[in-house]
Amino acid sequence: MVKESSDGFTALPLQITQGITYQRYLYLKQHEAEGAKSSGLFVAGVPFFHHDTRGVLQELFEGFGPVRDVVLHPSKSSAVVVFEKPGTRQKVLDAAQAKQLVQLKLQEPERAYGLKGLVEAHKACFPGNAVLRKRLDDWTEEFEDEEARKRREAAAAQEEQGWTVVKRRGGGRKSSDGQGAAVGGVALAAAQAIAAGKKEKHLTNFYRFQQKEKRRSELMDLREKFAEDKRRIAEMKAARKFKPV
Amino acid sequence: MSHKRTREEADLPEDPGEDLLLGTQESSLFELQVEELLNGARVDYVREDDVEELIAKLSALLRSLPVKKLDGPRGEAAKYLKRMGMPQKSLRFAPPERVCAVGGWVYRTLASPNRTVDVAMQMPSSCFDEKDQLNNRYFARRLQYLAEVATVLRRNPAFKDVSWDFLQHDARRPVLVITLQRAGGETCAIRLLPVLAPGTFPLTKLAPERNNLRASAGPAAAGADKDAPGLPATPHYNAAIMQDMLLDMQHQVLQDAIKAHPNLGDAIILLKVWARAQGSCGQPDSINGFLLSMLAAHLAATGSLVHAMKPLQVMRAVLNALQQPSLFSKGTAMQRRSLEASAGSASPPSPAAFCRHHVAVFMDPSGHLNLAAHLSKSAIAEGQSAARHGLRLLDQAADQEAAFAELFLTKHTPTLTYDASWRVSVPLDGSSGFETSDVLPHRGMEARVEGVAQQALGTRAKSVRALREPLHSGPSLEAASSTPSSVSILIAAQLDTGEALRAVDMGPPAESPKAGAFREFWGDRAELRRYKDGNIAESVVWECGPSERHLVVDRVMDYALKRHLGAACAVSGHAGLLDAVMHRRNAHPDEQANARRQIEAAMLKLGKQLRSASSLPLKIVAVQPLSAAARHTAAFPPLPHPFAGGHRADPSAKVDRCLDTIDLLAQLEGSGKWPDNPRAYAKAKAAMGCQLADELASGFGLHAHASEHCIDVLADGFAFRIFLASERDSAMADASPAAQAGKESLTPPEAMLARTAEHAALRRSAKHHAMLAALSGAAPAFPAAAQLASRWVSVHMLSNHITEPMSELLTAAAFAADRAALIPGSRLSGFIRFLHLLSTYSWRERALVVDPNAELAAADRETAVAAHSKARREGMAPAMCIIPAYDTGNWLGKGLSASVVHRISALAQRSLSVIQGHVEGGLLTPGVVQASVFTSALADFDALLQLSRDALALAPCAVLSHKAQRAAVEQQGFSSAASILPLEALQEGSKHSRAMLKALPQELVRKHKMSTMGQNLLLGFKPVELYVESIEQRYGGVATVCADAQGGGLIGIKWRSAVQKAHELTIDTAHAVSPAAATSAVRSSKAAKRQRMANGIGVGGAVTLDTTSCLAEILVMGNGLVEHVFVKHGSVT
């Protein structure tokens, strides 16, 4: 379990060089996840990197010993580092305890970053019609294959359980109801949406008790509104609203 | 069915409050508010008991004055009389016959904060000669009498604080105001009104058609008793004398009426508060509190008011009477009451005589005096329009709280009520006319200027009003009333938006008898013009470019006033006051105005092409615009771009690298063949987009590029971004939580695109556009006002807080009918209302429902407001909440923190007061106004990031150039952060992070053969917004970020104080802090350091904000974009 008190944290000073050099702190704490061996280190205050943050963290902590895995929080400001050996974690904590400054020098990224990175990413949204079509077609093909495979597997599983799978007879969808009126194909999702939109009709004023209840609730509503108005007036008075200009 | 039976059937418990409840079910909130207002406005007369004693003391003092003969006026009185051209006569001073309180104090209708007690002082008839009503003699002696009293009072320590004021701002009728020190340090004022016994002068001689000011005031003429035939009548002069004689009677009538009607007193207080809020009370020629009281008394006497009416209902009845056009114009007479015997029993003049000489007639109970003599036509129109608006609010307001505030609590200054105003100063030839003119010269000039302005504007204006200069009270007469050599008049007009901007004034046909008068008025500018229908008519043509249309009104006024009042008169209008901030430095204003029309044409054409695209499997059935540029509310619409096939008017214009897109929504026809899986559906739609792009390219020769979310098309110089919609979208959006999950891995630009393309967002913007387009139709000034508003928002670096739709909605709310008497008719008045709304709305307490077209059902509005107030009670309500009518479940402004909302209000208040001061006071120059309204308040920030000029596509739109900006930053107390951060290393940058987004010279484009669309033009790319978003994401809990999306190259950062203090480490802000001990360790001695190491404590519990590393990281994030960092002096340790 992660302890929430800040007392458990130890600050590890870190000097980062990426374009400019500056100093900051990583906040470290033992990470006691259930079922895992006690070799996890919770790291808060993860800096921003143009490089892949996970990779940088791995590289950084490999300076202390072999790292098995780095798991990054989606906010990218905290992570859990799991070491191969339990001793490595203590080494890191000791270094932090001793206020040993760790230097991290990052080379300039190979690919575009910063503003140019944004420009490139923007351009990548519009890869050209042909490329995009190819990509979409590939995706669809893959998706359909996957769907077909799932269907097959399901059928196979059912057959294995002793069911006889009956194939549907071929033939297009009905486009007329046989009496000349056209019947459009309605997709399942659309049909469901239509069905959800329909409401059952009730007669609300049919029975005497209904009328009675309606009147009653109307009066209750009025009373409630009156109380609400009173409350509002009190608030406005408190805000010194009624000062004539 | 009887009420009783219903209750029995409903089986309700008895409740004492029920009758109240049932009786007030419709407007209980309004009634309750009125009650509270009355509680606040009533004067606590018990607490003011000692005032009665003071009046008694004053009375005793004055009554004991000795009789004496004064040879002539002395001191300031003599000077004043000389300047006014009044005779200097001797006076037989005698003590007043009677000194007693009258008016609101007596019958308890004073409306706080006004606590002036009126005290009538009856001057004995023996002080005056028989014919003193002639030639200002009475007024001269009245002044002498007052001067004598003032001298006496000043000698008495209890009453020594005496100053002069003027009744109805009439220079002939000064009064004394005594400020008294009361126990407890408070002050109270007594206004000493000199009155006459009713019989002092014969009332018949003061009838409206009589002349009492003779031109040749020689001894011979003065002796003449009869009116010389042909002498002009002096109705105003006569009325002024009569008012002193008949004051007592009017007060008696009023007092009786208030005694007879239980709620009349409270209603009069309400009316006074209303009139004061409407701003029409303080004017010399307007409907004042006294007239309203008399009108109420009149209604009570004629049986229009019944005793069961509550104060609000009485007020409504009075407003209803007031709005009748015939009330004053046809003449109304109060119930006649006979005068005392001493006053003579002369029968009063006929009502027709009054109607001939006054524009408004409201006869007092004696039948001799017109109480409405001082009213002007424009003031009546103003009062009546206010009354109509008041009735509308009382009867059909959707939001009762807002309506109440609008009626009683909002001070309506001329800038809020009127659309346009002009300050006119006209030279006045000093002395002439005081002796003989019925109306004093400067009042006459005001009326004349108003007449010319009315004729010049014609149907362009719904109402024109010259705001009369009030006479200010002061300790001495000299200060109080100086006769200046020129009059400065503020003319205000409510414009008719349909007519105001026309370029041609069409006059009567050439052969019509009216043609001469038209020519006479317009002079050389009038010309004969043949119209398309064959009509030949006198016309005046005002030439103006497309960007100058709104200036026509100013030009018309300037020409007409100078023509009729002489070249020496100066006219300054404000129609173009804020134009300069709307201009780009790299384009002519006309070009921008033309671009708006070109966009519309291009959009129409593309829409047709889209609908006719035949090779698509599904047809496009409808195309709807979504962008602000398409509804003319964008401050800077995209200009036609050469890469997109457009032509710039200026051949040397630079070529932009970025082009903003205009978003369109294309509705596909329905089909049942879409895939059922949401993800597969999205891909299929994207494939449809690919096909559409191909079709547009091959069929119409347009550049079209598809992405997964949209299709970008270049057509006629503009870039359009088309989103496809099908009726299946909503079903798919409901069923696709899976599709959301995949979005985390998107790059920032794509994530932004995907957010815009979401079904809910598209539907919302489509409805948003529809609502605002409808509003633009009803209120033509709306788009231009929204442009100014959006510009204001961006200049004050609030772009990331008040988003574009929000600023549009706020402007739309300012145009809503229940907020304004008339819908704003000019861009400036719309913008002023926007600022007024921002600065006065109680954001913390109330949600703002924006429903300018009144399309929201009352129940829906109630539900929406109730949801907000419930959230507020639970402490969950956002600091600002804007509820648009089209989607009441979607609150805008949710993300704003209370401090940002506070800042917005404060900034709006500051801008508003500057504009109001300029327009109403006329003290500043337009340049200063512009500079103070459109300058960002930088001093409040802790750090500023200056963005690289090369990276800003909209840099030419910024108010300040790059250099000027840096100077402004340094002037505001910021210095470069180079001392704490090695900025040079970053500024050099590398080719991997830098990008040129600035406009390029055309030669360069030609040289490098870039004039193909290719990869050179970035469509709809907004790097600053992306950057700000990423900072907010990472540092939102640590700092408030402010940015300008319209080219201003600064990003402001204000650290949150909670993080700046030493606090316990929390995981979500751990990336921004350093141990509290560590920061001081830098300076501490080695021994201390060793000791701390021995203790072995890394984080001693407390951490503080590490601004240096935060700035460093923000800088790293904005690699290639940020050029410089500034920090506040003294914040660097």
Side-chain angles (χ1 to χ4, degrees):
Chain A
M1 294 297 283
V2 181
K3 270 199 291 176
E4 279 303 318
S5 90
S6 65
D7 298 343
F9 283 105
T10 319
L12 176 71
L14 184 66
Q15 192 181 51
I16 305 171
T17 307
Q18 48 174 345
I20 55 176
T21 307
Y22 58 100
Q23 193 186 335
R24 50 174 298 150
Y25 292 84
L26 292 182
Y27 297 92
L28 310 176
K29 197 169 73 167
Q30 297 187 357
H31 181 70
E32 249 70 60
E34 272 178 68
K37 279 179 216 156
S38 55
S39 56
L41 185 68
F42 180 75
V43 184
V46 173
F48 170 87
F49 299 112
H50 283 299
H51 295 266
D52 173 33
T53 309
R54 229 180 121 241
V56 175
L57 283 182
Q58 181 145 9
E59 205 175 304
L60 174 71
F61 286 105
E62 259 165 9
F64 295 95
V67 172
R68 191 195 302 160
D69 198 8
V70 175
V71 184
L72 203 59
H73 189 265
S75 72
K76 291 195 178 176
S77 63
S78 57
V80 173
V81 181
V82 186
F83 295 104
E84 292 281 0
K85 297 175 197 155
T88 322
R89 181 173 74 180
Q90 201 49 49
K91 234 164 96 187
V92 179
L93 289 172
D94 286 348
Q97 208 75 290
K99 294 201 156 285
Q100 186 186 332
L101 186 67
V102 179
Q103 292 205 342
L104 180 64
K105 271 194 184 146
L106 293 164
Q107 294 302 313
E108 191 171 21
E110 290 291 306
R111 54 186 178 78
Y113 65 97
L115 178 59
K116 194 155 190 198
L118 290 179
V119 173
E120 297 291 321
H122 178 78
K123 283 180 179 169
C125 295
F126 297 88
N129 298 346
V131 178
L132 181 64
R133 169 164 308 129
K134 171 102 179 33
R135 216 183 277 167
L136 291 169
D137 286 350
D138 289 350
W139 187 91
T140 312
E141 208 167 294
E142 200 177 301
F143 179 77
E144 277 169 1
D145 288 351
E146 178 71 15
E147 291 285 288
R149 191 181 57 77
K150 273 188 198 155
R151 262 200 308 279
R152 267 201 313 279
E153 272 172 16
Q158 280 174 336
E159 249 171 304
E160 265 171 34
Q161 285 164 9
W163 294 94
T164 311
V165 179
V166 183
K167 286 253 167 59
R168 186 182 166 205
R169 197 157 43 81
R173 242 178 234 170
K174 257 189 6 181
S175 62
S176 84
D177 62 356
Q179 287 152 6
V183 177
V186 179
L188 182 65
Q192 279 167 348
I194 292 166
K198 270 188 195 157
K199 276 184 194 156
E200 279 185 58
K201 278 180 192 161
H202 287 295
L203 281 176
T204 48
N205 240 357
F206 191 73
Y207 295 108
R208 175 141 279 196
F209 82 88
Q210 281 179 327
Q211 293 174 8
K212 225 192 251 181
E213 261 174 15
K214 195 176 162 208
R215 268 199 296 274
R216 199 187 165 86
S217 73
E218 267 171 11
L219 272 170
M220 295 306 262
D221 283 353
L222 270 180
R223 201 171 294 161
E224 215 164 82
K225 190 166 172 295
F226 187 64
E228 167 79 18
D229 285 351
K230 280 250 180 198
R231 203 161 39 219
R232 181 83 195 104
I233 292 287
E235 280 169 12
M236 283 154 84
K237 226 166 120 183
R240 305 181 130 267
K241 267 245 159 144
F242 296 109
K243 251 177 94 185
V245 285
Chain B
M1 194 182 290
S2 79
H3 171 69
K4 199 168 170 227
R5 201 172 144 207
T6 321
R7 181 182 285 188
E8 271 168 17
E9 278 177 10
D11 194 20
L12 279 163
E14 286 299 322
D15 184 342
E18 199 139 282
D19 289 328
L20 173 71
L21 220 156
L22 290 169
T24 59
Q25 52 175 303
E26 285 309 327
S27 57
S28 66
L29 187 62
F30 217 109
E31 296 272 351
L32 288 170
Q33 291 188 90
V34 165
E35 240 163 70
E36 285 305 324
L37 180 77
L38 281 171
N39 284 341
R42 277 190 210 117
V43 174
D44 185 0
Y45 297 93
V46 178
R47 271 188 57 215
E48 320 245 327
D49 255 353
D50 51 334
V51 174
E52 302 280 357
E53 286 167 33
L54 285 169
I55 294 172
K57 253 172 83 184
L58 179 68
S59 169
L61 174 71
L62 293 176
R63 295 289 300 279
S64 65
L65 290 178
V67 177
K68 65 174 169 180
K69 177 128 177 33
L70 302 168
D71 292 334
R74 277 169 301 179
E76 54 177 2
K79 272 191 211 157
Y80 185 76
L81 288 177
K82 189 162 173 240
R83 199 168 42 222
M84 299 292 293
M86 290 186 187
Q88 314 224 351
K89 294 246 171 188
S90 61
L91 172 73
R92 295 181 299 278
F93 183 85
E97 287 177 345
R98 193 166 51 94
V99 177
C100 62
V102 292
W105 172 265
V106 179
Y107 29 82
R108 308 304 194 219
T109 58
L110 287 185
S112 130
N114 172 26
R115 298 192 176 191
T116 308
V117 183
D118 283 346
V119 172
M121 168 178 72
Q122 189 173 333
M123 301 178 285
S125 309
S126 60
C127 294
F128 300 96
D129 287 335
E130 197 186 336
K131 279 177 192 162
D132 268 1
Q133 82 270 19
L134 282 173
N135 293 341
N136 283 319
R137 276 181 232 156
Y138 163 66
F139 290 115
R141 286 203 160 127
R142 180 183 183 272
L143 178 72
Q144 279 182 58
Y145 194 96
L146 281 178
E148 181 60 25
V149 168
T151 331
V152 173
L153 288 177
R154 281 186 178 136
R155 267 187 239 130
N156 189 313
F159 303 109
K160 66 179 190 313
D161 195 354
V162 179
S163 59
W164 293 90
D165 200 356
F166 296 88
L167 272 183
Q168 288 176 357
H169 302 277
D170 184 350
R172 283 190 182 116
R173 301 169 69 202
V175 291
L176 291 177
V177 177
I178 312 166
T179 313
L180 298 166
Q181 291 297 328
R182 289 174 45 203
E186 283 179 68
T187 60
C188 101
I190 290 181
R191 205 158 63 137
L192 206 53
L193 312 173
V195 296
L196 279 177
T200 314
F201 301 116
L203 289 172
T204 43
K205 297 214 167 159
L206 296 170
E209 70 275 11
R210 299 297 290 263
N211 173 290
N212 282 309
L213 289 167
R214 310 291 153 79
S216 50
D225 191 22
K226 288 277 167 224
D227 284 3
L231 278 180
T234 54
H236 292 96
Y237 174 88
N238 300 351
I241 298 183
M242 270 195 291
Q243 250 153 17
D244 282 355
M245 286 206 290
L246 300 171
L247 189 79
D248 275 342
M249 177 188 229
Q250 294 153 10
H251 282 293
Q252 198 56 49
V253 168
L254 198 50
Q255 193 165 5
D256 292 349
I258 290 170
K259 261 190 203 143
H261 195 287
N263 282 327
L264 192 60
D266 280 347
I268 288 173
I269 295 179
L270 274 186
L271 281 166
K272 281 180 178 170
V273 173
W274 170 77
R276 222 184 288 151
Q278 301 306 311
S280 58
C281 211
Q283 293 282 319
D285 62 337
S286 60
I287 300 169
N288 52 21
F290 176 66
L291 198 57
L292 284 171
S293 313
M294 289 306 267
L295 182 57
H298 167 66
L299 292 177
T302 50
S304 304
L305 308 180
V306 290
H307 285 207
M309 279 174 146
K310 292 184 177 168
L312 189 66
Q313 288 166 318
V314 173
M315 174 181 160
R316 196 194 170 284
V318 175
L319 292 187
N320 192 34
L322 191 60
Q323 61 131 3
Q324 310 287 344
S326 59
L327 175 74
F328 291 125
S329 64
K330 283 201 178 154
T332 306
M334 293 183 75
Q335 244 173 22
R336 188 71 58 81
R337 206 179 259 217
S338 56
L339 284 161
E340 293 160 41
S342 62
S345 53
S347 64
S350 71
F354 283 101
C355 287
R356 268 199 304 280
H357 290 98
H358 292 292
V359 287
V361 178
F362 185 68
M363 300 306 304
D364 84 332
S366 75
H368 288 277
L369 172 62
N370 178 12
L371 290 174
H374 65 286
L375 296 189
S376 71
K377 227 175 202 168
S378 62
I380 298 171
E382 185 185 57
Q384 287 181 334
S385 112
R388 268 194 296 278
H389 178 51
L391 284 176
R392 207 164 45 230
L393 287 173
L394 284 177
D395 293 347
Q396 38 186 284
D399 180 350
Q400 299 206 336
E401 230 180 292
F404 180 82
E406 168 80 10
L407 261 182
F408 295 111
L409 305 177
T410 314
K411 179 92 181 144
H412 290 252
T413 55
T415 30
L416 281 178
T417 320
Y418 291 96
D419 295 326
S421 61
W422 300 268
R423 184 154 287 281
V424 184
S425 45
V426 198
L428 208 60
D429 39 347
S431 59
S432 76
F434 275 110
E435 299 90 339
T436 53
S437 66
D438 177 36
V439 183
L440 294 174
H442 61 283
R443 293 272 176 260
M445 181 54 87
E446 282 164 352
R448 186 168 161 221
V449 170
E450 187 176 82
V452 174
Q454 244 156 13
Q455 200 176 348
L457 288 173
T459 54
R460 288 177 197 272
K462 285 180 192 151
S463 70
V464 180
R465 174 133 169 75
L467 295 160
R468 270 66 171 175
E469 193 73 20
L471 292 178
H472 296 291
S473 57
S476 80
L477 265 179
E478 240 167 307
S481 153
S482 56
T483 40
S485 56
S486 73
V487 217
S488 171
I489 305 162
L490 186 69
I491 299 186
Q494 282 174 339
L495 300 178
D496 181 341
T497 37
E499 294 287 327
L501 305 185
R502 64 174 180 226
V504 179
D505 278 321
M506 194 169 112
E511 63 276 9
S512 148
K514 288 180 193 158
F518 188 83
R519 274 197 170 278
E520 169 60 31
F521 186 79
W522 291 110
D524 303 340
R525 286 217 83 138
E527 56 186 57
L528 276 179
R529 212 174 142 90
R530 184 194 197 94
Y531 289 90
K532 273 183 189 157
D533 57 357
N535 190 10
I536 298 175
E538 296 282 354
S539 316
V540 184
V541 181
W542 307 95
E543 257 138 43
C544 52
S547 65
E548 294 170 333
R549 280 303 280 272
H550 60 288
L551 303 178
V552 168
V553 209
D554 275 8
R555 290 186 191 168
V556 171
M557 285 291 274
D558 189 63
Y559 174 78
L561 288 172
K562 282 201 171 135
R563 177 175 154 70
H564 288 275
L565 302 171
C569 102
V571 184
S572 64
H574 309 295
L577 181 64
L578 304 171
D579 281 2
V581 285
M582 304 303 292
H583 297 163
R584 294 180 207 231
R585 252 170 280 136
N586 62 347
H588 191 270
D590 280 350
E591 207 174 335
Q592 203 161 302
N594 286 333
R596 295 186 199 277
R597 277 185 308 164
Q598 288 165 353
I599 288 172
E600 210 154 302
M603 212 159 58
L604 219 63
K605 191 171 148 201
L606 181 65
K608 264 184 205 154
Q609 287 169 340
L610 285 173
R611 282 196 298 275
S612 65
S614 53
S615 72
L616 284 183
L618 293 175
K619 273 187 76 132
I620 290 173
V621 287
V623 179
Q624 203 209 336
L626 304 175
S627 280
R631 50 182 177 262
H632 303 304
T633 55
F636 297 108
L639 297 177
H641 198 281
F643 287 3
H647 297 284
R648 288 288 296 272
D650 179 9
S652 66
K654 290 184 174 177
V655 180
D656 287 327
R657 300 290 305 270
C658 291
L659 183 58
D660 210 2
T661 56
I662 297 153
D663 296 357
L664 302 174
L665 186 70
Q667 180 77 34
L668 293 168
E669 67 180 332
S671 159
K673 292 189 176 164
W674 291 105
D676 282 333
N677 181 300
R679 284 169 68 205
Y681 169 74
K683 298 283 176 186
K685 222 164 79 169
M688 186 77 86
C690 272
Q691 214 159 341
L692 177 63
D694 286 344
E695 161 94 9
L696 287 172
S698 62
F700 303 104
L702 302 172
H703 282 290
H705 288 255
S707 80
E708 289 224 20
H709 310 282
C710 61
I711 307 117
D712 280 0
V713 185
L714 295 177
D716 296 331
F718 299 100
F720 294 95
R721 178 161 285 175
I722 302 168
F723 295 97
L724 293 177
S726 105
E727 61 194 18
R728 184 70 78 77
D729 282 335
S730 61
M732 285 298 160
D734 291 344
S736 66
Q740 305 286 333
K743 280 179 187 160
E744 269 166 25
S745 58
L746 298 181
T747 58
E750 190 165 12
M752 195 181 234
L753 199 57
R755 268 205 311 275
T756 327
E758 258 171 39
H759 171 64
L762 285 178
R763 201 177 51 178
R764 218 174 292 136
S765 12
K767 285 180 179 168
H768 181 76
H769 180 89
M771 181 173 96
L772 296 185
L775 177 61
S776 308
F782 168 69
Q787 287 164 27
L788 275 173
S790 122
R791 194 75 192 100
W792 183 85
V793 165
S794 73
V795 168
H796 286 281
M797 302 170 67
L798 298 167
S799 296
N800 55 331
H801 300 294
I802 302 182
T803 56
E804 193 157 40
M806 267 168 78
S807 94
E808 284 173 328
L809 285 174
L810 285 168
T811 320
F815 275 74
D818 58 346
R819 205 161 286 289
L822 274 171
I823 290 168
S826 72
R827 55 182 64 185
L828 189 63
S829 68
F831 177 59
I832 288 172
R833 297 266 181 83
F834 161 80
L835 292 179
H836 186 253
L837 174 69
L838 270 189
S839 60
T840 57
Y841 203 78
S842 42
W843 296 108
R844 187 195 289 272
E845 289 155 36
R846 308 194 55 217
L848 177 70
V849 180
V850 182
D851 182 22
N853 306 324
E855 56 202 8
L856 195 61
D860 292 343
R861 173 189 285 264
E862 233 161 71
T863 326
V865 172
H868 177 263
S869 53
K870 181 161 173 276
R872 195 167 47 83
R873 272 202 299 282
E874 288 162 2
M876 308 286 283
M880 179 187 262
C881 173
I882 302 172
I883 303 179
Y886 52 78
D887 187 359
T888 50
N890 176 42
W891 295 354
L892 281 93
K894 269 188 293 195
L896 270 63
S897 67
S899 61
V900 169
V901 174
H902 184 75
R903 181 177 159 79
I904 290 171
S905 296
L907 288 172
Q909 179 59 47
R910 190 154 49 172
S911 299
L912 182 66
S913 60
V914 169
I915 297 183
Q916 276 187 338
H918 174 64
V919 173
E920 286 167 23
L923 301 171
L924 308 166
T925 63
V928 173
V929 174
Q930 225 165 67
S932 41
V933 175
F934 284 96
T935 304
S936 30
L938 298 174
D940 304 341
F941 295 110
D942 289 325
L944 290 168
L945 310 177
Q946 189 172 33
L947 305 181
S948 159
R949 212 172 352 168
D950 296 343
L952 291 176
L954 276 175
C957 304
V959 176
L960 294 177
S961 68
H962 196 72
K963 252 191 203 155
Q965 203 164 51
R966 184 168 284 200
V969 166
E970 272 157 16
Q971 203 194 341
Q972 292 278 342
F974 287 87
S975 56
S976 170
S979 58
I980 49 166
L981 291 169
L983 294 169
E984 306 77 33
L986 201 74
Q987 275 163 20
E988 281 171 22
S990 85
K991 61 181 183 351
H992 286 302
S993 69
R994 275 201 306 184
M996 273 288 282
L997 300 178
K998 197 172 76 159
L1000 297 173
Q1002 289 202 343
E1003 306 87 69
L1004 200 69
V1005 173
R1006 269 195 292 278
K1007 208 163 80 189
H1008 291 276
K1009 300 200 176 77
M1010 294 204 294
S1011 45
T1012 49
M1013 154 59 195
Q1015 297 289 304
N1016 292 316
L1017 192 58
L1018 294 169
L1019 302 179
F1021 178 54
K1022 291 165 182 159
V1024 178
E1025 279 161 50
L1026 290 168
Y1027 177 46
V1028 170
E1029 203 179 275
S1030 67
I1031 302 179
E1032 277 183 333
Q1033 234 168 42
R1034 201 167 159 81
Y1035 284 99
V1038 179
T1040 305
V1041 186
C1042 289
D1044 173 358
Q1046 292 172 3
L1050 286 178
I1051 293 178
I1053 292 174
K1054 170 100 187 147
W1055 307 115
R1056 285 183 196 229
S1057 54
V1059 193
Q1060 267 181 315
K1061 288 187 290 223
H1063 62 282
E1064 286 223 334
L1065 183 74
T1066 55
I1067 293 168
D1068 49 341
T1069 58
H1071 56 284
V1073 295
S1074 60
T1079 40
S1080 58
V1082 181
R1083 279 170 296 171
S1084 62
S1085 66
K1086 270 185 183 171
K1089 216 182 240 172
R1090 218 175 299 131
Q1091 190 193 350
R1092 207 174 298 115
M1093 281 174 65
N1095 289 346
I1097 292 166
V1099 188
V1103 287
T1104 56
L1105 182 72
D1106 183 358
T1107 49
T1108 312
S1109 82
C1110 285
L1111 280 178
E1113 200 171 280
I1114 289 174
L1115 208 56
V1116 168
M1117 285 160 75
N1119 221 329
L1121 196 62
V1122 182
E1123 184 181 275
H1124 214 99
V1125 183
F1126 297 92
V1127 289
K1128 250 295 172 42
H1129 282 316
S1131 67
V1132 186
T1133 47

